[in-house]
Amino acid sequence: MHKEADIRIPLILGDKTYHDITEDVCAPAEGKANKLWYMAFTFAAIVAFWGICCIIYTIGRGIGVWGLNNTVGWAWDITNFVWWVGIGHAGTLISAVLLLFRQRWRMAINRSAEAMTIFAVMMAAVFPGIHMGRIWVGYWVFPLPNAFGSLWVNFNSPLLWDVFAISTYFSVGLVFWYVGLLPDFATIRDRAVKPVYKTVYGILSFGWTGDVKAWIRFEEVSLVLAGIATPLVFSVHSIVSMDFATSVIPGWHTTIFPPYFVAGAIFSGFAMVQTLMLTLRKVVGLESYIHVKHVEYMNIIIIITGSVVGVAYITELFISWYSGVEYEGYAFMNRATGPYWWAYAIMMSCNVLSPQIFWFKSLRTNLTFTFFMSIIVNIGMWFERFVIIVTSLHRDYMPSSWEMFHPTFVDVGIYIGTIGIFFVLFLLYARTFPVLALNELKSILKIAGEAQKERNKDTNTSTPSNDKL
Amino acid sequence: MDQFEFTSSHKKFTFGLMGIGLLALMWAVYCIMGSEGADHHAASARLWSNLLICGFFFIGISVAALFFLAVQHAAEAGWATMFNRVFEATSSYLYVGSGILVAVLFFGGHDLYHWMHADAVAHDDLLAHKSDYLNPTFFWIRTLIYLGVWIFFMRLFRKLSLEEDEIGGTKIHFRNQKYAAIFLVFFGYSSSTASWDWIMSIDAHWFSTLFGWYVFSGMWISSLVFMTLLIIWLKGKGYLPKVNENHIHDMGKWIFGVSCLWTYLWFSQFMLIWYANIPEEIVYFKARFDDYKVLYFGMIIVNFVFPFFGLMDKDNKRSIGWVGTIGVIIFITHWFDVYMMVTPGVMKDHWHFGGIEIGLFLGFLGLFLFIVLNALSKAPLIVKNHPFLDECIHLEQN
C-alpha cells in the first residue's frame, strides 16, 4: 500500500467521493454549453476563418504574398512552426515523464495537456505544409516509390528527419491520449441517457468493460507508451533544432541547440498549459482538482526550464566571444545591439528574467498573476524563435544584401488564424471529452484527497510506524 | 545495524589501493627523472594528465552526489530518503578532492594548459583574444569560488541533516528545500564553467557550447553508479535492511535514464560538429578519431549499449546482480570518458596506457573509498525524523 507523508499538500480538495468525481468531470460533456462558451467559440471561429482565408490565398498566389525576401528566406512560417511544436511538448512530458516519476499531480492536467499537444502539433504541421507552395504534392515529403524519375527525398536533410520525428510524435501522442480516454469514455457511455450518445460514446470507448484484466492491460500499455514517448520528448525538438544547427550559419550552428530547444519547448508548453488550465478550471468548475498546488508545481517547472534556457542563452553569448570566430561574434552582437535589439530584449526579459519572479511563493501561488505570466512566456518564446531565425539571416556575409523582414497581412493572418483554429479545437474538446482523467484520479482519492488525508492522519497516529527502524 | 562500522579490514583494503597508487606515482616520477628532452616532457605531461583525469573524475562524482541530494530536497522526493547518508558521504570527498585538484592545477597547470604559457599567448592571436577569460589570475579566482561554494553547501546539508536527526520537525526539511534550490542555481552555472576551465581549455582553441552539459551528465552518471554500488555493497553486508528491490529499481532507472542522457548529449555534440565539418570545430574529434579510435568509440559504445540493453528490462533493474555488474563496467568506462577528454589535448598522439594509468586510478579509488566510508561511519546510516522516511520505507513500484 502506498504511503503518503502527512506534509504533502492534498491533490483533491474538499471531501469528494468517487461519485462526486464522476459527476464533476462528466458535467461539461453532458450538460449544455453556457453563453461564455458560445461567445468564445464564435470569436475563435471567426479568427480561424480569417486564418483559413489567408492560407487559401497563400496557396492560390504562392508564398510571394509573405514578407520573405532574398536574404530572409525563412521568417514567420518557421518561427510559428517551431513555436507550435514547442507548445506541443508539455503534453507528452506531463503524461509520460511525470508518469515515470510517479508525480500524482499530473492526473489533474494530463488529459487536457495531451489534447493541447495534439492540436498544437496539428497547427505546427500547417506551416511546412503551406510553405511547400504546392500543397497537393505534399505527400512527396515521404519516401514513396514514384514514377517521376529521380524524385526522392533527401535523407541528409534535417527537414526530412522532422517529417519522421513529428509524425512519430503525433502518432504516439494520439495513441497515448486515446488509450487514457477509453475508461473515461466508457463512464460517459454508461451514464448516457439518450441512445445516440450511448452509441457514440460506446464506439469511442472501444467497448471498454472495466474488469480487472482490462485495467491491468491499461496500466501496462500506459507504462510502455510512456517509455516510448519519453525519448520522443527529446527527439522531436532536438531534430527541430537541427534544422538550424546542422547548417554553418553563424548563430544557428551551435552544439547546445538540441537540449536547449528541448528545455525551451517544455518551458513554452507549460506556459500554454497554464493559460488553458487556469481558464478551464474556472469555466467548467474543476477548482477542487486543479488548484493552487498544481499551478505552483507547474510554475516551478517554468522557473527551472526558464533558467536552463537562460544558461543556454548566456553560454551561447559567451562562447560566441570565446570562440574568437569573427562571424559568430558578430551574429550575437547584432542580435543584442543591431536593428532587432528589441526582439532580443523581449526574448531575454520574457524568458529569462520574468520567470525568476516565481521564486516568490506569494507570486507563484497567485493564479491571476500566473495567468498573466503564462502569456508573457508564450510571447517570449515566440520571440526567441524569431530572434534565432530572422536576426541570424537578415545580415549575411555580404553587407550589400542586408535586409529587414517586414511581415505582410498574410503572415499575420495565418499566425493569428492558427491560434483561432487551435482554440476552436480545444473548445470543442472541452465540451465533448472528459477533460480530466477521472478514473485515474479516483485511484489517488484515498491517499491524496484532503478529507481522506485528514482521516488517514487519525489512523496513523494510533499505529505509529516511524520508530520501526 | 543502523551504524556503519568502518572495520580495519576495510581500511586495509583502501590502504592497499592507495599503496598501488603511490607505487604508480613513484614510477611516473622515476620516468620523469630518468628522461630528457621530449621524453622528459612527455613523461611529465603523462603524469599530470592522469592526475587531472582522476582528480576531476572523483571530484565530479562527489559534487554530482551533492547535486543529486539537492535535487531530492528541492523536488520533495521521498523515494530515496533512506539513501541520504550515502549521498552525503559521497559528497564529503569534496574537501580532499578540492585540495588535490588545486595542487594538480597549481603544479601541473603548465604541462596541461597551453594558454598558461605567456610566450605562447604572445604568439597566438586566438589565445591572446581569449586571455581576458583564460588567464591564470581569473582562472584561480573561478576555481576557488566553485570549490569553496560547493564545500559550503556540502557542509550545510550535512549539518542540517544531523540536526534533523536530533530535533525532528519539518522546519529543517523546508530549509533544506530552499538551500537546495539556491545550490542548484549555482551548480547550474558552475558545472558548465568549471568544465570549460578545467577541461575544455586544454584544447584551448576549440569550443563547444554543449560541452559543459555533456561533462555534467558524465559526472552525474558516474556518481549514480558509484552510489548504487555502495548501496548494494552495504546491503550485502547486512546494512540497510529496509532497502529492497523497489529502491534498487529506482536507482536502476536513474542509471538507465542518465546513461541515455549522456549518450544523447554526446551524440548531439558529435553529430552537429561532424555534420557541419568546419575546421575550428572538427579538430577535436579528428584528434580522437585519428589517434584513439578504438578506445574512444569503444568507450562510447560500452557506455551506451550496456546500460541501455542491460537495464531496459524491469526485472534487470530490480536485480542486484544486473545493476551491480553493469554499474562496475560503466563506472570504469566513464573514467575512460574523462580520459578521452584530457589525454588527446595534452599528449596528442604520444599516448600510452599502462601501469601508471591503472595504478593512479586505483590509488584515487582507494583514497575516495576511505573518505566516503569514513564519513559514512560517522553518523547513523539512515536519517531519522525525515518527513518522507515512511514513504521511502513503504516504496512500491507500479
Side-chain angles (χ1 to χ4, degrees):
Chain A
M1 151 97 197
H2 282 294
K3 286 269 173 183
E4 185 160 298
D6 292 340
I7 61 163
R8 291 204 191 271
I9 310 281
L11 294 174
I12 300 171
L13 296 184
D15 192 1
K16 296 279 179 191
T17 61
Y18 289 138
H19 184 64
D20 291 338
I21 297 181
T22 312
E23 287 286 328
D24 291 347
V25 178
C26 294
E30 291 169 349
K32 289 234 183 304
N34 56 19
K35 251 193 198 136
L36 193 67
W37 186 89
Y38 278 107
M39 276 159 63
F41 185 80
T42 312
F43 183 68
I46 292 169
V47 176
F49 181 69
W50 182 35
I52 290 167
C53 291
C54 287
I55 289 171
I56 292 171
Y57 182 62
T58 301
I59 293 168
R61 298 291 302 273
I63 54 170
V65 297
W66 295 351
L68 302 175
N69 53 52
N70 269 344
T71 311
V72 187
W74 254 11
W76 276 38
D77 44 359
I78 194 88
T79 304
N80 299 336
F81 162 74
V82 181
W83 188 70
W84 276 119
V85 174
I87 286 170
H89 262 62
T92 318
L93 186 98
I94 289 168
S95 49
V97 179
L98 297 187
L99 173 78
L100 297 179
F101 278 96
R102 294 194 293 264
Q103 297 296 305
R104 298 192 181 108
W105 59 275
R106 98 198 140 79
M107 290 173 191
I109 50 169
N110 68 341
R111 176 67 41 76
S112 299
E114 285 172 56
M116 176 198 84
T117 290
I118 286 159
F119 302 146
V121 173
M122 285 159 72
M123 292 308 102
V126 166
F127 290 95
I130 56 177
H131 198 175
M132 283 187 271
R134 291 175 289 166
I135 197 166
W136 51 93
V137 292
Y139 65 94
W140 286 2
V141 299
F142 296 106
L144 299 169
N146 60 74
F148 305 110
S150 59
L151 182 69
W152 193 240
V153 292
N154 179 4
F155 281 98
N156 291 336
S157 165
L159 298 177
L160 179 69
W161 309 341
D162 255 351
V163 173
F164 298 140
I166 293 175
S167 51
T168 311
Y169 184 70
F170 183 75
S171 332
V172 173
L174 191 66
V175 171
F176 204 172
W177 184 54
Y178 203 83
V179 168
L181 274 164
L182 291 176
D184 297 352
F185 275 145
T187 304
I188 299 185
R189 169 199 67 192
D190 296 343
R191 289 163 51 90
V193 188
K194 289 185 187 158
V196 183
Y197 285 98
K198 218 172 182 66
T199 318
V200 170
Y201 282 107
I203 293 168
L204 287 175
S205 66
F206 287 5
W208 174 266
T209 54
D211 58 9
V212 175
K213 243 183 192 169
W215 276 110
I216 290 171
R217 284 177 189 146
F218 175 86
E219 299 225 325
E220 273 174 7
V221 167
S222 302
L223 216 52
V224 169
L225 283 174
I228 297 172
T230 305
L232 289 175
V233 175
F234 283 84
S235 74
V236 173
H237 233 57
S238 296
I239 289 173
V240 168
S241 83
M242 287 172 192
D243 292 349
F244 311 103
T246 51
S247 73
V248 288
I249 309 274
W252 282 9
H253 175 68
T254 182
T255 48
I256 207 168
F257 256 31
Y260 140 55
F261 265 52
V262 172
I266 294 165
F267 179 60
S268 66
F270 269 89
M272 190 57 107
V273 172
Q274 295 278 42
T275 312
L276 295 175
M277 296 316 277
L278 286 169
T279 322
L280 189 72
R281 70 190 279 280
K282 270 263 181 274
V283 175
V284 295
L286 295 171
E287 284 101 332
S288 303
Y289 306 99
I290 307 164
H291 57 84
V292 173
K293 194 62 193 171
H294 295 83
V295 171
E296 190 186 355
Y297 281 138
M298 287 194 269
N299 281 336
I300 290 172
I301 293 180
I302 287 178
I303 311 180
I304 295 168
T305 47
S307 304
V308 170
V309 167
V311 172
Y313 289 165
I314 292 165
T315 302
E316 270 191 319
L317 194 63
F318 173 76
I319 298 284
S320 74
W321 167 81
Y322 176 89
S323 70
V325 179
E326 192 185 343
Y327 306 105
E328 199 68 39
Y330 180 75
F332 280 85
M333 191 57 86
N334 182 45
R335 271 184 195 178
T337 61
Y340 282 115
W341 66 270
W342 48 272
Y344 189 80
I346 292 174
M347 165 187 112
M348 274 290 183
S349 48
C350 292
N351 294 346
V352 183
L353 298 179
S354 72
Q356 305 304 329
I357 237 166
F358 282 145
W359 283 99
F360 299 100
K361 196 180 170 83
S362 58
L363 289 172
R364 69 169 183 262
T365 51
N366 180 325
L367 302 184
T368 321
F369 182 74
T370 301
F371 185 78
F372 169 75
M373 275 299 303
S374 72
I375 305 285
I376 295 283
V377 170
N378 278 318
I379 294 172
M381 284 308 288
W382 190 86
F383 272 98
E384 180 201 286
R385 279 63 176 256
F386 180 80
V387 164
I388 291 171
I389 292 155
V390 173
T391 65
S392 304
L393 288 177
H394 87 119
R395 288 188 163 177
D396 59 8
Y397 293 104
M398 207 153 52
S400 62
S401 61
W402 285 3
E403 285 269 15
M404 297 292 281
F405 174 77
H406 300 288
T408 64
F409 80 93
V410 187
D411 282 301
V412 182
I414 296 176
Y415 173 51
I416 304 290
T418 50
I419 298 177
I421 301 170
F422 175 79
F423 274 98
V424 165
L425 293 171
F426 196 82
L427 285 165
L428 285 175
Y429 151 82
R431 282 280 295 114
T432 46
F433 280 53
V435 291
L436 244 69
L438 71 98
N439 282 298
E440 272 193 273
L441 207 58
K442 285 175 186 173
S443 71
I444 62 165
L445 179 65
K446 286 239 160 119
I447 42 174
E450 192 180 20
Q452 286 79 357
K453 243 177 121 72
E454 274 307 312
R455 285 197 284 276
N456 289 348
K457 239 183 227 170
D458 300 337
T459 46
N460 274 353
T461 41
S462 57
T463 51
S465 51
N466 259 14
D467 50 290
K468 269 188 202 154
L469 272 175
Chain B
M1 294 289 264
D2 61 351
Q3 184 78 32
F4 171 70
E5 202 188 335
F6 192 19
T7 62
S8 62
S9 66
H10 298 149
K11 281 181 188 156
K12 271 185 205 143
F13 177 71
T14 60
F15 286 140
L17 288 176
M18 281 187 254
I20 296 172
L22 214 57
L23 284 177
L25 184 69
M26 276 152 55
W27 175 247
V29 172
Y30 172 78
C31 289
I32 297 171
M33 298 294 187
S35 57
E36 278 174 10
D39 283 348
H40 176 80
H41 181 71
S44 111
R46 183 179 179 189
L47 173 63
W48 288 117
S49 57
N50 271 296
L51 289 173
L52 179 66
I53 292 162
C54 291
F56 182 77
F57 180 65
F58 286 101
I59 207 167
I61 290 176
S62 66
V63 74
L66 190 62
F67 161 79
F68 199 57
L69 178 67
V71 169
Q72 307 299 325
H73 286 322
E76 300 184 309
W79 65 275
T81 308
M82 280 198 285
F83 301 152
N84 278 5
R85 285 283 140 80
V86 171
F87 302 159
E88 286 166 19
T90 308
S91 68
S92 69
Y93 171 77
L94 271 176
Y95 276 130
V96 177
S98 299
I100 292 174
L101 193 68
V102 165
V104 171
L105 296 173
F106 186 76
F107 295 107
H110 216 65
D111 281 285
L112 293 166
Y113 305 110
H114 193 50
W115 57 265
M116 277 201 183
H117 300 244
D119 53 325
V121 175
H123 296 103
D124 188 324
D125 286 347
L126 208 48
L127 290 186
H129 167 80
K130 293 183 187 197
S131 65
D132 287 340
Y133 182 78
L134 289 183
N135 61 69
T137 322
F138 194 23
F139 174 84
W140 278 109
I141 294 174
R142 290 195 304 268
T143 298
L144 295 176
I145 290 176
Y146 310 144
L147 296 173
V149 176
W150 294 349
I151 288 175
F152 170 80
F153 278 100
M154 181 265 280
R155 285 172 52 106
L156 182 70
F157 289 131
R158 177 72 168 183
K159 194 179 110 226
L160 288 173
S161 164
L162 294 175
E163 247 174 61
E164 194 177 45
D165 273 8
E166 299 298 319
I167 56 175
T170 54
K171 201 174 145 208
I172 290 177
H173 171 74
F174 290 112
R175 277 172 74 191
N176 267 334
Q177 204 179 342
K178 199 161 48 180
Y179 295 140
I182 298 169
F183 170 73
L184 289 174
V185 171
F186 179 78
F187 186 74
Y189 282 94
S190 59
S191 60
S192 276
T193 49
S195 53
W196 299 341
D197 293 347
W198 299 335
I199 308 287
M200 193 165 87
S201 78
I202 293 171
D203 298 276
H205 285 179
W206 184 76
F207 57 91
S208 166
T209 43
L210 186 52
F211 192 77
W213 292 357
Y214 166 67
V215 173
F216 155 70
S217 68
M219 293 178 188
W220 192 7
I221 182 65
S222 315
S223 186
L224 279 170
V225 165
F226 173 79
M227 294 186 298
T228 310
L229 291 173
L230 184 57
I231 289 162
I232 290 174
W233 180 75
L234 287 170
K235 179 106 188 98
K237 292 272 164 201
Y239 295 105
L240 299 172
K242 304 240 174 201
V243 171
N244 56 37
E245 65 275 13
N246 289 304
H247 302 95
I248 302 297
H249 188 175
D250 270 352
M251 289 304 277
K253 283 182 200 167
W254 273 109
I255 294 176
F256 177 82
V258 179
S259 287
C260 291
L261 176 75
W262 178 88
T263 314
Y264 162 71
L265 294 175
W266 177 83
F267 180 76
S268 298
Q269 181 168 268
F270 171 78
M271 200 282 278
L272 290 173
I273 289 175
W274 169 79
Y275 196 104
N277 199 18
I278 51 181
E280 54 264 45
E281 290 181 341
I282 201 76
V283 283
Y284 185 83
F285 289 109
K286 182 132 177 57
R288 281 148 186 81
F289 196 81
D290 286 351
D291 305 321
Y292 297 81
K293 195 177 279 164
V294 175
L295 207 55
Y296 189 54
F297 288 97
M299 174 276 288
I300 290 150
I301 290 166
V302 173
N303 277 337
F304 174 60
V305 169
F306 275 67
F308 187 75
F309 291 104
L311 295 179
M312 187 181 276
D313 192 83
K314 182 181 175 182
D315 293 335
N316 293 0
K317 284 195 281 273
R318 295 170 78 82
S319 141
I320 281 180
W322 272 92
V323 175
T325 312
I326 287 169
V328 170
I329 294 169
I330 65 171
F331 184 74
I332 295 167
T333 46
H334 273 286
W335 179 87
F336 274 102
D337 180 27
V338 181
Y339 180 85
M340 291 310 312
M341 290 175 194
V342 174
T343 315
V346 183
M347 306 290 292
K348 313 291 181 225
D349 54 342
H350 306 293
W351 61 285
H352 303 278
F353 187 83
I356 294 179
E357 281 75 14
I358 297 169
L360 283 174
F361 169 72
L362 292 176
F364 266 88
L365 182 65
L367 178 69
F368 186 72
L369 284 174
F370 179 83
I371 289 163
V372 171
L373 294 179
N374 190 42
L376 205 57
S377 69
K378 293 278 188 274
L381 205 48
I382 291 176
V383 292
K384 294 172 190 157
N385 302 324
H386 193 290
F388 294 150
L389 188 58
D390 211 31
E391 262 185 35
C392 181
I393 292 170
H394 294 94
L395 177 68
E396 197 179 83
Q397 301 281 343
N398 42 11

